[in-house]
């Protein structure tokens, strides 16, 4: 069993190691913290922490560093999340204010989080499978190209240029729209996608130019709706990994591969268990099943009209957990408020 003072020593080791990048010794703890006991007493506490595998000695005659287990105890029981400063809160409001659409808002969110934390920032898109299609429009660009616009009740907008097999005039495009819109408008994204896939008129072999145009545009719309239903991530700050490479025990290549593919990160973030505040952390070897045992991810949930999703920060296990969790929580709360206000205006 670790005593209360032993836990405070663990807190001091985590904080000092994050600040200095150097293993922490008993003498430096006595000098930097007000424990009111001798260095010998602190060494005894450190020995007990080492027995519990909460700290480790990387080299003979060196100080101690936290283990992944030690970081877990620190995050679960010792970390104190301080509110962001007024300057930081103002920066969040200014940076995220008045976005063009959801894509712009989430892109701004990850850039902001990277600036606040110096780490890789991740934001999950909400799942739009339950969103409803509110607007469908076909805009002729020239005789053989049409811009297909799909809007949902959550503000998600899709714009896709589709090439046609035949040259059509504006009246023919209107005829296509008259047949396409009833299959989509007013339906959920999932239902609309199914309508396009199983519509009898689309399954038949196209015989006229309008039929062929409808077939191609419906295929494009179905692909866009399928993307609406897929889990997606927005990321920023990948370059910070190279700057912090010395903080990782091994190679950063698994992290770069996960960033490139996204599927691994989506699975990991989806499986993280949140506390009552919607905060979660997955530390070091807890990520071994995902090939990311060199990294930690902290996350906070945000709410949208179609359900909750997560904002995350990924970096080395030697990260400032309280600061990163506080930043994720503050940005998630502001993002929730923006999305709620936008929903209220609809």
């Amino acid at each position: 069993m670790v005593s209360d003072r032993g836990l405070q020593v663990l807190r001091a080791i985590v904080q000092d190691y994050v600040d200095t990048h150097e293993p922490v010794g008993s003498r430096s703890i006595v000098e930097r913290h007000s424990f009111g006991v001798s260095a010998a007493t602190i060494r005894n506490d450190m020995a007990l922490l080492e027995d519990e595998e909460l700290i480790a000695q990387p080299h003979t005659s060196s100080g101690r560093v936290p283990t992944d287990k030690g970081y877990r105890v620190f995050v679960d029981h010792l970390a104190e999340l301080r509110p962001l400063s007024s300057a930081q809160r103002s920066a969040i409001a200014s940076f995220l204010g008045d976005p063009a659409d959801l894509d712009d808002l989430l892109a701004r969110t990850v850039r902001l989080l990277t600036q606040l934390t110096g780490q890789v920032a991740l934001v999950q898109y909400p799942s739009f499978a339950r969103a409803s299609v509110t607007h469908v429009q076909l805009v002729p660009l020239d005789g053989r190209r049409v811009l297909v616009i799909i809007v949902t009740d959550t503000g998600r907008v899709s714009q896709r240029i589709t090439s046609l097999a035949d040259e059509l005039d504006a009246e023919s495009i209107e005829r296509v729209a008259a047949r396409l819109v009833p299959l989509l408008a007013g339906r959920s994204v999932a239902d609309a996608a199914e309508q396009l896939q199983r519509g009898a008129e689309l399954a038949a072999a196209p015989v006229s130019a309008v039929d062929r145009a409808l077939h191609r545009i419906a295929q494009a719309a179905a692909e866009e709706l399928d993307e609406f239903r897929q889990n997606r991530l927005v990321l920023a700050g990948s370059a910070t990994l190279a700057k912090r490479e010395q903080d990782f025990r091994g190679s950063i290549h698994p992290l770069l591969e996960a960033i490139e593919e996204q599927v691994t990160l989506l699975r990991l973030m989806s499986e993280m268990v949140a506390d009552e505040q919607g905060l979660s952390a997955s530390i070091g070897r807890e990520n071994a099943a995902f090939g990311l045992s060199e990294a930690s991810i902290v996350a906070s949930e945000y709410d949208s009209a179609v359900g909750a999703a997560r904002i995350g920060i990924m970096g080395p296990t030697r990260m400032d957990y309280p600061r990163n969790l506080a930043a994720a929580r503050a940005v998630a709360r502001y993002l929730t408020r923006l999305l709620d206000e936008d929903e209220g205006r609809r």
Side-chain angles (χ1 to χ4, degrees):
M1 291 292 293
V2 179
S3 66
D4 288 342
R5 189 180 64 227
L7 290 175
Q8 297 311 310
V9 170
L10 175 62
R11 184 208 299 269
I13 291 172
V14 171
Q15 292 173 339
D16 289 0
Y17 184 54
V18 169
D19 290 342
T20 67
H21 299 204
E22 298 291 337
V24 181
S26 57
R27 189 173 301 278
S28 68
I29 291 176
V30 170
E31 292 172 353
R32 290 168 60 97
H33 303 272
S34 302
F35 279 97
V37 296
S38 66
T41 300
I42 296 297
R43 280 196 295 274
N44 289 335
D45 291 328
M46 293 171 70
L48 293 173
L49 292 172
E50 196 165 4
D51 289 342
E52 295 292 330
E53 299 181 342
L54 299 176
I55 60 174
Q57 187 176 30
H59 306 290
T60 305
S61 301
S62 73
R64 305 301 191 272
V65 300
T67 63
D68 293 351
K69 182 179 176 182
Y71 283 123
R72 169 53 64 193
V73 171
F74 173 78
V75 169
D76 287 348
H77 304 291
L78 303 173
E80 297 177 356
L81 273 60
R82 295 177 296 277
L84 269 61
S85 67
S86 58
Q88 289 173 316
R89 292 195 298 272
S90 296
I92 292 172
S94 174
F95 204 92
L96 299 185
D98 197 25
D101 52 30
L102 180 64
D103 293 335
D104 180 38
L105 177 58
L106 297 189
R108 292 189 192 192
T109 297
V110 288
R111 292 199 304 271
L112 171 64
L113 266 180
T114 290
Q115 291 181 15
L116 289 174
T117 65
Q119 310 280 3
V120 178
L122 325 162
V123 178
Q124 285 179 315
Y125 267 86
S127 172
F128 288 90
R130 291 177 295 169
S132 295
V133 177
T134 57
H135 181 74
V136 182
Q137 184 176 2
L138 304 183
V139 181
L141 301 178
D142 55 42
R144 290 181 178 269
R145 293 190 309 151
V146 175
L147 176 64
V148 183
I149 302 173
I150 302 174
V151 182
T152 72
D153 59 354
T154 59
R156 179 81 183 272
V157 179
S158 162
Q159 300 184 64
R160 178 163 175 161
I161 296 174
T162 303
S163 298
L164 306 180
D166 310 280
E167 188 166 328
L168 295 183
D169 56 22
E171 182 182 350
S172 296
I173 295 299
E174 288 180 5
R175 289 164 59 195
V176 173
R179 293 167 63 182
L180 179 71
V181 171
L183 296 174
L184 304 179
R187 300 180 185 273
S188 71
V189 167
D191 185 30
E194 290 176 4
Q195 288 294 319
L196 290 177
Q197 290 172 0
R198 71 189 182 198
E201 59 183 357
L202 302 179
V207 294
S208 69
V210 170
D211 288 338
R212 286 190 289 273
L214 176 61
H215 190 73
R216 285 203 177 185
I217 292 171
Q219 284 181 321
E223 290 172 4
E224 289 298 299
L225 292 175
D226 189 54
E227 285 193 15
F228 279 26
R229 293 189 293 173
Q230 291 176 2
N231 287 326
R232 294 173 57 199
L233 274 180
V234 187
L235 301 98
S238 300
T240 63
L241 295 177
K243 296 177 183 178
R244 297 178 176 273
E245 191 165 4
Q246 71 278 5
D247 290 337
F248 294 89
R249 294 183 294 259
S251 172
I252 63 171
H253 290 299
L255 281 75
L256 296 173
E257 290 176 358
I259 289 171
E260 176 112 6
E261 296 175 1
Q262 293 197 8
V263 175
T264 297
L265 292 175
L266 279 166
R267 281 180 50 223
L268 197 163
M269 289 186 70
S270 297
E271 294 180 15
M272 291 169 67
V273 178
D275 63 15
E276 64 278 1
Q277 300 182 65
L279 297 173
S280 53
S282 192
I283 299 170
R285 290 186 175 86
E286 296 171 1
N287 301 319
F290 302 92
L292 296 173
S293 57
E294 295 293 322
S296 288
I297 295 179
V298 300
S300 180
E301 293 180 349
Y302 73 94
D303 293 321
S304 72
V306 293
R310 279 179 168 153
I311 291 174
I313 297 164
M314 180 172 70
T317 55
R318 192 197 62 76
M319 68 161 60
D320 189 336
Y321 291 94
R323 177 176 174 235
N324 290 345
L325 282 165
R329 180 178 64 181
V331 173
R333 287 176 174 175
Y334 195 82
L335 183 56
T336 295
R337 188 157 65 248
L338 281 177
L339 293 173
D340 185 58
E341 290 173 356
D342 184 63
E343 178 67 16
R345 290 193 292 267
R346 294 185 187 282

